Each structure stands twice: as structure tokens, then as C-alpha cells.
Amino acid sequence: MIARLENLRTRPAVFRHLTGLTVGLFDALAADLVPAVEAARRRALARPGRRRAVGGGDAFDLAVADQLLLTVVWLRHYPTQECLGFLFGVSDSTALRAARRCLPPLAASGRDGMRMPDPGRGRRKPLPSLLADCPGLAAVVDTFEQPVQRPGRRQRAYYSGKKKRHTVKSQVVADEGTGEVCHVGPSRPGPWADIKVFRRSGVKSLLPPGLTVLGDSGYPGIAAEVRRGVGARPRPKPREKPRPAADWAYNRAFARRRVVVEHAIGRLRRYKAVAEQDRHWRAMHTERVQAVAGLVNRQVRERLAA
């Protein structure tokens, strides 16, 4: 059976395994994005200097909703173009064009749905006395690396000593209260330090005043970076001295708060397009992560509303 929206919606379990979304959640996504994809297509056809008249050429083999479905399946399972085209009954080039058309609106929708947490909500939440210096609900920051094919140029710039291969790094900021992704920074070479990625991501200008930002040990100096709020990380071990018992307790309590971003990254990496080796255009890697973050946030909101 050729994969089409009208066929798959009759099999909700299969639909969820293919996309990670329920049928209702995908219908809401399509209602938001189909007009945006169609508008982008009209702008492309009406661009200045176009030589072919509008309406010329063969009609596209997939409806816009099916193109969106194809793109979500591609993000979820990351098959090759040939396999994706076979699944949807189109050529590999048609499958690639559909993904290229739908990925930018998906990424824009993901960015539009990201919101920084409200620092005021934390005043209504009891906090452990150990973390009194980290008041309120927090934004939790971390990075993850995705393998890429060996670059033809600047190979050393992308070689990660941690992963022992060439990688790109993505920064994720998660809302401690809900677990939603509230910011995805631009993709950077894998060897970059986490604190350097944080400085270059532009997220500091988006942080509300008074917001706490929690990072791991890879963020030395984060307290100085977050000037309008509170920046914190685990307490490091004193040089040539045993770690105090209070630091062990503090770091355990800190880890219980910071695990939210690990869960958020785990949900992102269920989509193989941001977990397996990147086979496609690295220039659109940031958009790919943002698109996946938007899909994941819709799943989280659906679960919270249930």
C-alpha cells in the first residue's frame, strides 16, 4: 500500500509509529502549515526573472498534506531518498523536493512555538534549600552532537575528540517546568566548547530578566554570561582536595533539576534525522533540529493537556 494520508489515518497505531504523532496532532499541524507551504510555493512561482509561465510543467505528484507527511516521516526515520520515494509512490527527486519545500515552514513553526519560561512561576514552587541560589523555575541548557560525513575541507574543524569522529553540535534550552524546548541555537562544529556555543547562540538576549539558567560542568563562567538572571552549574571538585559532603548533596539536587534537558534531547533524538549520520545539506541542519523541536513540543503539550 502506498503511504498517503488518507490511507494511514485509518491505521492510528501505524501512523504514530511512522511519524511520532497522533492523527489528531498531525491534522492540527497540517492546518497550521499547509497554508504556509502553499504561500511559499506561490512566492517562488511569482519570483522576478522567472522564465517559465506559472502553470507550466508537470503537476506535483503529492498533495501538500502528503508532502508534509513525507517530511515528518523523513525526520522521524531518516530513510534514503530512494526508500522514501518508494514508500510514497514517487521518484527519489520528488521526495527530496517535497522535504525541501516543507522543512523551512516546519522549522519556522518550531521557532514560533518556543517560549522562554516565566521566572514568576517559580515563586509558587517549593525549592530545595540546597539550591536557594537558583530561585524559581529555570531554563536548562545543554548540547548534543550528531555525526556527519567527513568534510572535504576543514576536516580538523569538525573532528570531535569526544566522539572520535566528525560531528556538528546543537544547543538546546528546555523549560524546567514543562520540559518543552524553548530555544535551539545555530549548529556549530562538534569540537566547540559548550560555553562557546552558548556565547555565540544569541540566546542571552532572549532570556527574561530574573530567569535562572542551569548548565552542566561544560559551562564554566555561565554566571558571568547571564547578566540579567542567575547562571549556575555543578560545583567543581577543589584541586588536590577531597570534595566536601555538601557539594555532593548540592550536585545531586542540581542533577535532578538539570535532567529535564536530557529528557528533551532524548525526545529530539528519537527523530533519526538529528541522531544518525547526517547525509544531507549541512547548511539546513539548524532548520532540521528546529523542525524536530517543534514536533516534539506539540507532543509534550498534547501530553500535558491530557
Side-chain angles (χ1 to χ4, degrees):
M1 179 184 294
I2 295 177
R4 289 288 192 277
L5 182 58
E6 58 192 28
N7 297 333
L8 291 176
R9 68 167 60 253
T10 62
R11 294 169 172 79
V14 175
F15 191 95
R16 183 152 195 166
H17 281 292
L18 276 175
T19 64
L21 308 174
T22 62
V23 176
L25 200 56
F26 180 83
D27 288 341
L29 176 70
D32 292 340
L33 293 189
V34 165
V37 176
E38 292 175 340
R41 181 60 180 163
R42 287 194 296 270
R43 288 194 299 270
L45 293 175
R47 66 185 182 275
R50 176 182 165 88
R51 295 185 178 182
R52 175 177 284 183
V54 175
D58 191 15
F60 206 79
D61 295 331
L62 293 172
V64 178
D66 286 317
Q67 295 178 44
L68 185 61
L69 176 63
L70 178 147
T71 306
V72 173
V73 171
W74 174 67
L75 290 171
R76 180 73 174 184
H77 297 281
Y78 204 41
T80 61
Q81 294 170 219
E82 291 78 9
C83 290
L84 191 63
F86 178 79
L87 181 63
F88 282 83
V90 296
S91 66
D92 55 343
S93 58
T94 298
L96 179 61
R97 286 199 302 272
R100 282 180 167 169
R101 288 179 181 179
C102 295
L103 187 59
L106 270 172
S109 175
R111 290 191 298 270
D112 292 342
M114 297 178 194
R115 296 289 183 272
M116 286 293 173
D118 175 15
R121 288 184 297 162
R123 300 189 182 97
R124 301 184 293 273
K125 177 183 176 182
L127 295 174
S129 58
L130 284 169
L131 297 180
D133 56 339
C134 303
L137 290 180
V140 194
V141 60
D142 203 357
T143 63
F144 69 92
E145 295 182 49
Q146 179 180 359
V148 297
Q149 294 179 343
R150 185 173 62 185
R153 300 165 63 184
R154 298 183 62 217
Q155 293 184 14
R156 182 173 295 181
Y158 284 88
Y159 187 80
S160 169
K162 178 181 178 181
K163 300 295 183 180
K164 306 301 181 186
R165 60 193 306 179
H166 299 88
T167 63
V168 291
K169 180 174 284 188
S170 300
Q171 176 181 277
V172 176
V173 182
D175 185 338
E176 183 193 7
T178 64
E180 294 182 43
V181 176
C182 49
H183 185 265
V184 172
S187 300
R188 302 296 188 181
W192 280 31
D194 289 356
I195 189 65
K196 180 179 178 181
V197 176
F198 182 81
R199 293 190 186 110
R200 303 285 184 91
S201 66
V203 69
K204 291 188 293 184
S205 62
L206 304 177
L207 298 174
L211 181 66
T212 300
V213 181
L214 306 180
D216 60 11
S217 57
Y219 292 88
I222 192 172
E225 296 293 332
V226 185
R227 300 184 182 277
R228 298 191 299 172
V230 178
R233 70 185 187 112
R235 293 176 181 173
K237 180 182 177 298
R239 182 173 295 179
E240 298 180 355
K241 294 181 180 180
R243 189 187 298 272
D247 285 6
W248 284 103
Y250 178 92
N251 288 349
R252 282 196 296 270
F254 193 94
R256 284 195 292 270
R257 293 188 64 176
R258 211 192 66 80
V259 74
V260 173
V261 73
E262 302 291 352
H263 293 163
I265 290 175
R267 286 190 288 269
L268 292 177
R269 290 173 67 83
R270 291 175 189 169
Y271 285 80
K272 303 303 182 183
V274 297
E276 295 183 354
Q277 186 182 50
D278 180 20
R279 302 189 308 268
H280 290 83
W281 50 101
R282 198 171 307 139
M284 297 186 70
H285 187 268
T286 303
E287 286 188 328
R288 203 181 316 159
V289 181
Q290 291 171 342
V292 171
L295 297 175
V296 167
N297 281 348
R298 288 176 181 266
Q299 297 170 30
V300 171
R301 291 173 195 140
E302 182 185 48
R303 188 183 70 249
L304 294 175

